[in-house]
Amino acid sequence: MALVMGVRPAVALLTVPLLATNVFQAFEAGSPWSAVRRFWPAMVTLAGGIAVGTLLIAVVDRDTLYLIVGTALIAVALQLSLNSSVRIPARAEPWLGALAGATGGVLGGMSAMFGPPLAVFLVGLKMGKDEFVAAVSLLYAVGSVALFIAFSLNVALDWKTMLASAASLLPVYVGMWAGRILRERINAEAFRQFVLAMIGLAGVSLIYQALT
């Protein structure tokens, strides 16, 4: 949506579904507090990175950033896809999580796409399918709130925009229902490859935006 209509209107329209779906999924797997304790470094740097990213829009060459991050996402996704034995060691998890959060935050502040670096980090932890969804939903919920706050002074949240945002919940929940069925039917490796494919497509999207 940010590619088609710009970051600010996309953030305004996605406010309700981003918060509602990610908070729902974060609690769906049970209490999210264990995930909060585990991933708080990524949550803190994600929120801070988004604030920094919104300030850097006017001073940083966005196309160059998109090319660098897009290429890196494709390269990492290919590496993790071809080498399934790669796993982030426990001792490196806190600082790599903080790095993923900061990278996703800066990227999100400039493009609204804060998710791919976080997804790469979680894939590297070799989490189970349900555990992955719960963790990524928690991080996305934090990113959604931070993104909304960062853009709140510039996003026109009139009643028509909020009505359209609320109406988008219907197709979003239909998609979540279909995705949950698919997740239950595929094995862990197929799920992992699917997530990596989405990360690679996000990298392609960033490169496309930079070149066009």
Side-chain angles (χ1 to χ4, degrees):
M1 289 180 65
L3 175 63
V4 175
M5 62 192 308
V7 174
R8 288 182 176 85
V11 170
L13 284 174
L14 288 173
T15 297
V16 173
L18 276 175
L19 289 174
T21 56
N22 286 311
V23 170
F24 174 80
Q25 288 194 129
F27 279 90
E28 186 182 28
S31 174
W33 304 121
S34 61
V36 171
R37 289 191 294 268
R38 182 177 181 182
F39 298 117
W40 69 265
M43 296 167 63
V44 171
T45 55
L46 172 62
I50 286 176
V52 172
T54 57
L55 298 175
L56 293 178
I57 291 178
V59 296
V60 171
D61 183 359
R62 194 181 70 167
D63 291 342
T64 300
L65 176 67
Y66 283 13
L67 280 173
I68 294 172
V69 176
T71 302
L73 287 175
I74 293 172
V76 172
L78 283 173
Q79 171 65 19
L80 291 175
S81 178
L82 297 175
N83 188 355
S84 60
S85 64
V86 174
R87 182 172 189 156
I88 295 175
R91 64 181 180 279
E93 184 178 320
W95 69 266
L96 280 177
L99 179 61
T103 304
V106 172
L107 180 63
M110 301 183 72
S111 69
M113 291 180 63
F114 57 80
L118 296 170
V120 168
F121 166 66
L122 294 178
V123 167
L125 295 177
K126 293 290 188 68
M127 306 175 78
K129 294 182 293 183
D130 294 338
E131 187 184 13
F132 174 91
V133 171
V136 81
S137 296
L138 175 65
L139 290 171
Y140 281 18
V142 172
S144 302
V145 172
L147 192 63
F148 172 71
I149 293 174
F151 280 99
S152 60
L153 297 177
N154 299 308
V155 176
L157 291 179
D158 55 80
W159 70 269
K160 290 182 179 180
T161 301
M162 294 306 295
L163 184 61
S165 184
S168 67
L169 280 172
L170 178 59
V172 166
Y173 276 114
V174 170
M176 285 178 61
W177 170 77
R180 187 177 297 109
I181 293 175
L182 178 62
R183 188 173 83 230
E184 292 172 352
R185 294 187 176 183
I186 64 176
N187 60 42
E189 182 57 26
F191 177 81
R192 180 175 177 273
Q193 294 294 340
F194 177 79
V195 172
L196 290 172
M198 294 301 100
I199 293 170
L201 285 175
V204 171
S205 174
L206 287 171
I207 292 173
Y208 174 79
Q209 290 183 66
L211 296 178
T212 57

